[in-house]
Amino acid sequence: MAPMGIRLSPLGMAVFCLLGLGVLYHLYSGFLAGRFAFFMLSEPAAGGPETPRGSAPAGSVDLRELLAVSVLAAARGGEEVKRVREGNVLNAKAKGKTREGAEEQLTTGDLLSNRKMFYLLKGAFPAVQINSEERVDTADQETVSWDRSIPEDIKQKIQPKEVPAESVTVWIDPLDATQEYTEDLRQYVTTMVCVAVNGKPVIGVIHKPFSAYTAWAMVDGGSNIKPRSSYNEKTPRIIVSRSHAGKVEQVARQTFGNKTVIIPAGGAGYKVLALLDVAEKNQEEADVYIHVTYIKKWDICAGNAVLRALGGHMTTLTGEEISYTGSDGNEGGLIASINMNHKALIEKLPDLEKTSHK
């Protein structure tokens, strides 16, 4: 007798095939799920610390971005300075005395400008060390955002440049020339931001709140300001602090002759701009800037950076470079010039250094 066979109908064949496909699907889907989970774990979590497009990676800072936000911070601080002065709500009070015994003033303009500038910079670059003339009160913390936009003039002149965040120190002066501010001598008033990398000033921003003029420069980058076409080295016009003009005048006339012009002025930012090509009617012009006493680094860092970027110099009275790390003060006085023989100037003014430590 012939063996019995099993014959499947077309419907049975279809069911058998479907069962086989089901088994294969379950096996393969488990493999895919495992691969997908591995892929997701290797990617940054949603809302996590993913590096924004066009920004420096974590642990580094793009100096072009830092320049852009520094320009914005100086302008935002300047808005507060102007608003307080024009509203005549300074609330000026003494916060201490200088080494020479002069009273240091503190106003609402200082405090509000400082708050805007500090929190704008800190919000944009939280890993960067920021030193300010005024104390930051955490009770007054303010959220000041930056949309990461870069002005066109900076885009055109400055290329992106990344540096380690730990190498950067930002110095801000929320209101330079506070004494003159209280006297309503508005032309001397500036807000300033400086970026130092490993102690060397590389970005400087000087903003005039009452004319909305802003000068900025980056070492090995570019600037929106330039030196004047000529300077007088034989009988230079020397710009000095209003508080000790007589002390410098005596030595300057001995060195350069009786025709030497001494220009008393307020604010370190204003004095640096006096050395440059600034098209403003209230900006005086000088050939050399000299300061013979102790001065804070937030007063001079921005100007130092601008001069360095343009090929100029700002040193102590003995010719030493000023480091923008460590203490917040410069003990050695300063002399600043551009397109002049800086070393020769220092050699002509040896007596001034003796007074800078007093």
Side-chain angles (χ1 to χ4, degrees):
M1 187 172 64
M4 294 181 62
I6 300 174
R7 298 180 63 185
L8 294 175
S9 66
L11 178 61
M13 287 290 292
V15 172
F16 181 78
C17 289
L18 287 172
L19 289 173
L21 288 172
V23 171
L24 290 174
Y25 170 78
H26 283 291
L27 289 173
Y28 193 59
S29 63
F31 171 78
L32 286 178
R35 295 296 298 169
F36 182 72
F38 174 80
F39 174 77
M40 290 301 292
L41 287 172
S42 66
E43 288 292 301
E50 185 177 357
T51 302
R53 183 177 298 178
S55 299
S60 65
V61 172
D62 180 1
L63 290 180
R64 184 171 75 165
E65 289 188 343
L66 193 45
L67 168 59
V69 76
S70 296
V71 169
L72 180 60
R76 290 277 182 88
E79 290 170 1
E80 297 298 313
V81 168
K82 183 179 179 182
R83 182 174 62 84
V84 170
R85 178 66 265 183
E86 291 184 343
N88 199 27
V89 287
L90 276 67
N91 297 317
K93 60 182 179 181
K95 68 175 182 179
K97 290 188 176 182
T98 66
R99 291 189 178 183
E100 295 79 38
E103 201 170 72
E104 285 192 292
Q105 296 287 315
L106 178 68
T107 70
T108 301
D110 293 90
L111 298 175
L112 294 181
S113 174
N114 185 66
R115 192 166 71 185
K116 286 285 185 185
M117 294 175 71
F118 178 87
Y119 285 114
L120 176 57
L121 288 159
K122 199 65 178 175
F125 295 96
V128 165
Q129 171 69 33
I130 301 176
N131 295 335
S132 174
E133 179 174 7
E134 307 306 337
R135 187 173 63 88
V136 178
D137 191 345
T138 54
D140 293 330
Q141 186 169 347
E142 182 175 347
T143 301
V144 187
S145 60
W146 176 47
D147 62 6
R148 311 202 77 83
S149 63
I150 299 176
E152 283 302 318
D153 60 339
I154 294 178
K155 279 185 180 179
Q156 292 172 7
K157 296 179 180 181
I158 307 293
Q159 295 299 314
K161 183 178 181 180
E162 294 176 12
V163 296
E166 62 186 14
S167 70
V168 175
T169 304
V170 176
W171 297 84
I172 61 177
D173 191 341
L175 202 169
D176 189 36
T178 299
Q179 180 62 44
E180 287 73 19
Y181 182 66
T182 63
E183 297 173 21
D184 209 14
L185 299 173
R186 304 182 183 194
Q187 70 271 25
Y188 297 127
V189 176
T190 62
T191 58
M192 296 188 287
V193 182
C194 176
V195 177
V197 178
N198 294 321
K200 295 182 178 181
V202 297
I203 289 174
V205 179
I206 304 174
H207 176 73
K208 288 186 160 188
F210 297 101
S211 65
Y213 173 84
T214 304
W216 60 261
M218 177 173 158
V219 175
D220 297 327
S223 68
N224 72 342
I225 192 171
K226 62 183 180 179
R228 297 199 309 273
S229 58
S230 64
Y231 295 86
N232 188 339
E233 292 196 53
K234 291 184 178 180
T235 54
R237 293 164 294 179
I238 301 176
I239 194 163
V240 300
S241 172
R242 294 169 70 218
S243 61
H244 56 258
K247 187 184 299 183
V248 179
E249 182 174 5
Q250 181 180 358
V251 177
R253 293 197 189 284
Q254 292 173 356
T255 304
F256 298 107
N258 291 329
K259 293 183 179 180
T260 301
V261 176
I262 302 298
I263 304 172
Y270 178 90
K271 297 184 188 83
V272 168
L273 291 179
L275 305 182
L276 304 173
D277 186 6
V278 177
E280 290 224 324
K281 63 180 182 179
N282 289 329
Q283 178 66 59
E284 296 166 285
E285 292 185 353
D287 301 301
V288 180
Y289 166 26
I290 293 176
H291 189 89
V292 298
T293 58
Y294 175 85
I295 191 168
K296 292 296 182 70
K297 291 178 181 177
W298 42 67
D299 290 320
I300 60 176
C301 185
N304 197 342
V306 170
L307 289 173
R308 280 190 71 218
L310 299 176
H313 303 275
M314 179 184 287
T315 65
T316 66
L317 294 170
T318 56
E320 297 174 356
E321 296 294 334
I322 301 168
S323 175
Y324 293 91
T325 56
S327 70
D328 60 14
N330 171 50
E331 298 277 357
L334 71 85
I335 179 169
S337 69
I338 187 167
N339 291 352
M340 297 178 72
N341 188 332
H342 192 77
K343 185 177 180 181
L345 288 172
I346 293 168
E347 290 173 350
K348 288 180 179 179
L349 299 170
D351 294 335
L352 289 177
E353 195 275 335
K354 296 176 184 178
T355 67
S356 65
H357 299 284
K358 293 181 180 179

